Coordinates of all heavy atoms in Angstrom, one line a residue:
F297 N 67.6 73.8 -11.0 CA 66.3 74.3 -11.4 C 65.7 73.3 -12.4 O 66.4 72.7 -13.2 CB 66.5 75.7 -12.1 CG 67.0 76.7 -11.1 CD1 68.1 77.5 -11.4 CD2 66.3 77.0 -9.9 CE1 68.5 78.5 -10.6 CE2 66.7 77.9 -9.1 CZ 67.8 78.7 -9.3
D298 N 64.4 73.2 -12.3 CA 63.7 72.3 -13.1 C 62.5 73.1 -13.7 O 61.9 73.9 -13.1 CB 63.1 71.1 -12.3 CG 62.7 69.9 -13.3 OD1 62.9 70.1 -14.5 OD2 62.1 69.0 -12.8
N299 N 62.3 72.9 -15.0 CA 61.3 73.7 -15.7 C 59.9 73.0 -15.5 O 59.5 72.3 -16.4 CB 61.7 73.8 -17.2 CG 60.8 74.8 -17.9 OD1 60.1 75.6 -17.3 ND2 60.9 74.8 -19.2
K300 N 59.3 73.2 -14.4 CA 58.1 72.5 -14.0 C 56.9 73.3 -14.6 O 57.1 74.5 -15.0 CB 57.9 72.5 -12.5 CG 58.9 71.5 -11.9 CD 58.5 70.1 -12.1 CE 59.4 69.2 -11.3 NZ 59.2 67.8 -11.7
S301 N 55.7 72.7 -14.6 CA 54.5 73.4 -15.0 C 53.8 74.0 -13.8 O 52.6 74.4 -14.0 CB 53.7 72.5 -15.8 OG 54.3 72.1 -17.0
E302 N 54.4 74.0 -12.7 CA 53.7 74.6 -11.6 C 54.7 75.2 -10.6 O 55.9 74.9 -10.6 CB 52.9 73.5 -10.8 CG 53.8 72.4 -10.3 CD 53.0 71.3 -9.7 OE1 51.9 71.0 -10.1 OE2 53.5 70.6 -8.7
V303 N 54.2 76.1 -9.7 CA 55.0 76.7 -8.6 C 54.0 76.8 -7.5 O 52.8 77.1 -7.6 CB 55.6 78.0 -9.1 CG1 54.6 79.1 -9.3 CG2 56.7 78.4 -8.1
Q304 N 54.6 76.8 -6.3 CA 53.8 77.0 -5.1 C 54.3 78.2 -4.3 O 55.6 78.3 -4.1 CB 53.9 75.7 -4.2 CG 53.0 75.8 -3.0 CD 53.0 74.5 -2.2 OE1 53.8 73.6 -2.5 NE2 52.1 74.4 -1.3
I305 N 53.5 79.1 -3.9 CA 53.8 80.3 -3.1 C 53.4 80.0 -1.7 O 52.2 79.7 -1.4 CB 53.2 81.6 -3.7 CG1 53.6 81.8 -5.1 CG2 53.5 82.7 -2.7 CD1 53.0 83.0 -5.7
I306 N 54.3 80.1 -0.7 CA 54.0 79.9 0.7 C 54.0 81.2 1.3 O 55.1 82.0 1.2 CB 55.1 79.0 1.3 CG1 55.2 77.7 0.5 CG2 54.8 78.7 2.8 CD1 54.0 76.8 0.6
V307 N 52.9 81.6 2.1 CA 52.9 82.9 2.8 C 52.7 82.6 4.2 O 51.7 81.9 4.6 CB 51.7 83.8 2.2 CG1 51.7 85.1 2.9 CG2 51.8 83.9 0.7
D308 N 53.6 83.2 5.0 CA 53.4 83.1 6.5 C 53.2 84.5 7.0 O 54.1 85.3 7.1 CB 54.6 82.5 7.1 CG 54.8 81.0 6.9 OD1 53.7 80.3 7.0 OD2 55.9 80.5 6.7
L309 N 52.0 84.9 7.4 CA 51.7 86.1 7.9 C 51.9 86.2 9.4 O 52.1 85.1 10.0 CB 50.2 86.4 7.6 CG 49.9 86.5 6.1 CD1 48.4 86.5 5.9 CD2 50.5 87.8 5.5
P310 N 52.0 87.3 10.0 CA 52.3 87.4 11.5 C 51.2 86.7 12.2 O 50.0 86.6 11.8 CB 52.4 88.9 11.8 CG 52.5 89.6 10.4 CD 52.0 88.7 9.4
E311 N 51.6 86.2 13.4 CA 50.6 85.5 14.3 C 49.5 86.6 14.7 O 49.8 87.8 14.8 CB 51.3 85.0 15.6 CG 52.2 83.9 15.4 CD 51.5 82.6 15.0 OE1 50.4 82.4 15.5 OE2 52.1 81.8 14.3
G312 N 48.3 86.1 14.8 CA 47.2 87.0 15.2 C 46.5 87.6 14.0 O 45.4 88.2 14.2
V313 N 46.9 87.4 12.8 CA 46.2 87.9 11.6 C 45.0 86.9 11.5 O 45.0 85.8 11.6 CB 47.1 87.7 10.3 CG1 46.3 88.0 9.1 CG2 48.3 88.7 10.4
T314 N 43.8 87.6 11.1 CA 42.6 86.9 11.0 C 42.5 86.1 9.7 O 43.2 86.5 8.7 CB 41.4 87.8 11.1 OG1 41.4 88.7 10.1 CG2 41.4 88.6 12.5
L315 N 41.7 85.2 9.6 CA 41.5 84.4 8.4 C 41.0 85.3 7.2 O 41.4 85.2 6.1 CB 40.5 83.3 8.7 CG 40.4 82.1 7.6 CD1 41.7 81.5 7.4 CD2 39.4 81.1 8.0
E316 N 40.1 86.3 7.6 CA 39.6 87.2 6.6 C 40.7 88.1 6.1 O 40.7 88.4 4.9 CB 38.5 88.1 7.2 CG 37.2 87.4 7.6 CD 37.3 86.6 8.9 OE1 38.2 86.8 9.7 OE2 36.5 85.7 9.1
E317 N 41.7 88.5 6.9 CA 42.8 89.3 6.4 C 43.7 88.5 5.5 O 44.1 89.0 4.5 CB 43.6 89.9 7.6 CG 42.9 91.0 8.4 CD 43.6 91.3 9.7 OE1 44.2 90.4 10.3 OE2 43.6 92.5 10.0
S318 N 43.9 87.3 5.9 CA 44.7 86.4 5.0 C 44.1 86.1 3.7 O 44.7 86.2 2.6 CB 44.9 85.0 5.7 OG 45.7 85.2 6.9
A319 N 42.7 86.0 3.7 CA 42.0 85.7 2.5 C 42.0 87.0 1.6 O 42.2 86.9 0.4 CB 40.5 85.4 2.7
A320 N 41.9 88.2 2.2 CA 42.0 89.4 1.5 C 43.4 89.6 0.7 O 43.5 90.0 -0.5 CB 41.8 90.6 2.3
L321 N 44.4 89.2 1.4 CA 45.8 89.3 0.9 C 45.9 88.3 -0.3 O 46.4 88.6 -1.3 CB 46.8 89.0 1.9 CG 48.3 88.9 1.4 CD1 48.8 90.2 0.9 CD2 49.2 88.2 2.4

């Protein structure tokens, strides 16, 4: 573990989800 000043969250939604639904989430 490293005490960084940033973190990245990766979200993989189910296939077929629209861009608008992803943006809302």
Side-chain angles (χ1 to χ4, degrees):
F297 291 131
D298 194 9
N299 193 12
K300 294 285 188 188
S301 295
E302 61 184 33
V303 69
Q304 186 176 9
I305 298 175
I306 305 295
V307 182
D308 287 319
L309 297 168
E311 292 290 328
V313 171
T314 65
L315 196 60
E316 291 78 17
E317 291 171 319
S318 298
L321 174 71

